[in-house]
Amino acid sequence: MSYQSIKEEAYEANMQLPALGLVLFTFGNVSVVDRKAGVFAIKPSGVPYKLLSPEKMVIVDFDGEVVEGGLRPSSDTKTHAVLYKHWAQIGGIVHTHSTYATAWAQAQRDIPIYGTTHADHLTVDVPCAAPMSDEMIRGNYEHETGFQIMGCLQERKLSYQEVEMILVGNHAPFTWGKTADKAVYNAAVVEEVARMAFLTESIHPGVSRLKDSLIRKHFERKHGPDSYYGQ
Ligand SMILES: [Zn+2]
């Protein structure tokens, strides 16, 4: 079993990150899960995007152990493993250090919902998880990052199926989705929403958040039972 289809899917999804301007050098990674096989395909560590190929993707299980592949998996692999293990409905995960979303993470701020672009995707502020504790950092850091993400959603009573993006304080965004393509799409969305929120506050410090009626209207026309929003 060579896991060919998830390797190809992971390769294509990883190549979208530089194409969308979401990564520099070797930053960032996408993974794709095969639930039946209990493994995921992820980018190898430290390989430039132009040298990637489907064969170079590394196959890893939900404990973060390499099942197949000649290269070291991405250094963030254990974070992906924790999320796949606990969130049965996700098919792909993305991590980038895209500039604006990372700036909000570094500022340790949620991205406030200021407009309908944000509301089309999410009815709440993009959550920013607290920075990791010293104990977590000294321990199994990447593994603990997964728990930091899950803990933040749990604390705020948010579901991973409704909120498919988060910032990890001091660090950067993580996004996910039913497919790797959706996770990549969400990585682009969080970057754009972060950029718009930054510009909005620059133009008008003290601006108010979007009113509830518009939040509901925009979310429902895209996601509700009577959705009519095309793209
Ligand atoms: Zn990172």
Side-chain angles (χ1 to χ4, degrees), residues 46-79:
V47 178
Y49 284 88
K50 62 176 188 231
L51 299 180
L52 284 182
S53 62
E55 305 74 56
K56 289 194 175 125
M57 298 297 130
V58 185
I59 303 296
V60 182
D61 68 21
F62 296 170
D63 293 318
E65 300 298 329
V66 173
V67 171
E68 191 198 286
L71 296 164
R72 248 175 350 110
S74 156
S75 46
D76 299 299
T77 295
K78 285 185 177 166
T79 310

Side-chain angles (χ1 to χ4, degrees), residues 76 95 97 171-172:
D76 299 299
H95 175 50
H97 288 194
H171 187 175

Side-chain angles (χ1 to χ4, degrees), residues 8 81 90 138:
E8 276 168 23
I90 59 172
R138 278 192 298 263

Side-chain angles (χ1 to χ4, degrees), residues 168-226:
V168 174
N170 294 159
H171 187 175
F174 284 81
T175 62
W176 51 89
K178 282 201 175 122
T179 61
D181 271 353
K182 183 69 193 309
V184 169
Y185 173 87
N186 287 331
V189 166
V190 74
E191 176 62 5
E192 190 61 10
V193 159
R195 192 167 74 96
M196 288 178 177
F198 169 73
L199 292 170
T200 303
E201 289 192 358
S202 309
I203 295 165
H204 182 184
V207 61
S208 10
R209 294 167 78 260
L210 191 61
K211 54 185 180 178
D212 282 346
S213 55
L214 268 177
I215 292 176
R216 207 153 307 128
K217 182 71 185 173
H218 271 262
F219 193 80
E220 278 169 6
R221 67 177 197 158
K222 198 161 178 184
H223 300 273
D226 309 315

